[in-house]
Amino acid sequence: MSLALSVMEKTSTDASPLTMHSSEKQETVCIFGTGDFGRSLGLKMLQCGYSIVFGSRTPGMSSLLPSDAEVMSYSDAAQKSDIIIITIHREHYDFLTELTEVLKGKILVDVSNNLKINQYPESNAEYLAQLVPGTHVVKAFNTISAWALQSGALDASRQVFICGNDSKAKQRVMDVVRSLGLTPLDKGSLMAANEIENYPLQLFPMWRFPFYLSAVLCVFFFFYCVIREVIYPYVYEKRDRTFRLPISIPNRVFPIAALTLLALVYLPGVVAAILQLYRGTKYRRFPDWLDHWMLCRKQLGLIALGFAFLHVLYTLVIPIRYYVRWTSNNRTITQVITKKENPFSTTNSWLSDSYIALGMLGFFLFVVLGITSLPSVSNMVNWREFRFVQSKLGYLTLILCTAHTLVYGGKRFLNPSNLVWYLPSAYVIALIIPCTVLVIKFILILPCIDKTLMRIRQGWERNPKYSESSLNGKTDI
């Protein structure tokens, strides 16, 4: 079991602190355990004006501890403070039963994590409360690493989840958290400890669905393009087009994935609006799949922006590709030999420049959307400004990117010669979801429909049986 997210080999007594809040009076805090996290937390608390007493099973051998801290046996150290931070592995909690009388009425702060999600039937904090009755157990600090405590919170999360059954004990611990320059977040009773302990073990929980969806899209369109552009020419013309695999085909897949994911960012909002119109109320819970989808919109948008960046990079290398240079030189030589030239087409020039211009404008707004979704930026704007960028500019970005793809297709959309084994071009399939979203959104903003939808979102109900008592769903869109 890991007591911290990062393990430090050595604790430096002159490490840079987090944002410090000096304490008006020197309060004594006891820390059980002299490992990496215990030493880092003790050093940080010393820097913030606390008096620290370490409890150790071998007090005389704790040479790496800060010089300003006292080191005693567990029993002696526990008598020095009414707040005791337990930085010990769960499997070593048994010795605490011998200190039941000494610990009675004291606040025990459990900071431990496990190696696996739901490793034990109960959380470590609940187990500690059962093991030492008469104490006030509070779960805290398990989402902060030893590295963050020593090097500062500029590159680490300042948020500390806290839970416990005693409100006064929680308040004491929250005061300590604030004095260290961290932000406490009350998660409720000790029943929430299991969720808090599982949190550091989760690997990108909100990114899992977007990653899987992106992978499925990329794989599908990659093989779709391979069938059309590699396998078909080989079967019918015996031409080797495998050289298109590294650049050409990925440069088709990436913009398709970017446009599709961008449309999927706004599709759940449209679906939610249709559900509210159908139900005639906002006081009903959305389906779980829709609720989870809406919570993943930011991640879907950022992944879409990543694919758009890849599309830009792959497009920039097109002129230096051997195939492109060979084709250009061969065409030039052919024109010289035959003494013929292709006439200038104003229509094609307009289409080409419009295609590029729409792509650049769409990509620029795409980047703006990505920047404003960052916490450091979104915290600097109010809700109306944030909604304007993410909603109004977001739909404008979707319109520009969709138009970019439409102009790219030009007259080829309805041309039967573009069908390969009855399969249309990949960009035709890529336009299905974006065009669907834009058409439905256009219908929803019609005055007759938008007025009803706004009334519903302001609390009006078509059917009065859904009273305010049923307000337990997630209806923000």
Side-chain angles (χ1 to χ4, degrees), residues 91-202:
E91 54 265 32
H92 301 308
Y93 282 177
D94 292 343
F95 80 95
L96 294 172
T97 57
E98 303 173 2
L99 305 176
T100 302
E101 290 300 322
V102 179
L103 299 177
K104 191 172 183 179
K106 295 183 182 294
I107 300 173
L108 302 186
V109 183
D110 178 66
V111 305
S112 63
N113 286 321
N114 295 318
L115 294 177
K116 300 177 182 178
I117 293 178
N118 299 325
Q119 184 173 354
Y120 300 102
E122 71 285 310
S123 66
N124 295 345
E126 291 173 308
Y127 172 72
L128 179 61
Q130 296 170 9
L131 197 65
V132 192
T135 60
H136 307 297
V137 176
V138 177
K139 186 73 184 183
F141 291 114
N142 70 303
T143 56
I144 300 295
S145 67
W147 174 85
L149 288 170
Q150 290 198 21
S151 61
L154 294 178
D155 296 320
S157 174
R158 291 177 177 267
Q159 201 170 62
V160 177
F161 296 137
I162 295 176
C163 71
N165 294 332
D166 187 277
S167 58
K168 293 183 179 179
K170 280 197 298 185
Q171 188 59 51
R172 290 283 304 277
V173 176
M174 292 172 71
D175 291 340
V176 172
V177 171
R178 291 190 187 95
S179 70
L180 301 183
L182 303 171
T183 304
L185 180 62
D186 190 350
K187 300 289 286 185
S189 70
L190 207 59
M191 293 177 63
N194 191 62
E195 177 186 352
I196 295 176
E197 291 173 7
N198 287 337
Y199 179 80
L201 301 175
Q202 296 174 350

Side-chain angles (χ1 to χ4, degrees), residues 222 225 244-256 307-318 321 355 408:
F222 181 83
C225 292
R244 301 181 68 86
L245 292 174
I247 300 293
S248 297
I249 291 180
N251 200 31
R252 295 188 188 280
V253 173
F254 294 148
I256 291 173
F307 282 124
F309 263 111
L310 286 173
H311 174 49
V312 171
L313 293 176
Y314 272 63
T315 302
L316 291 176
V317 304
I318 286 178
R321 294 179 60 205
Y355 158 71
Y408 172 78

Side-chain angles (χ1 to χ4, degrees), residues 7 18 144 361:
V7 177
L18 306 171
I144 300 295
L361 290 173

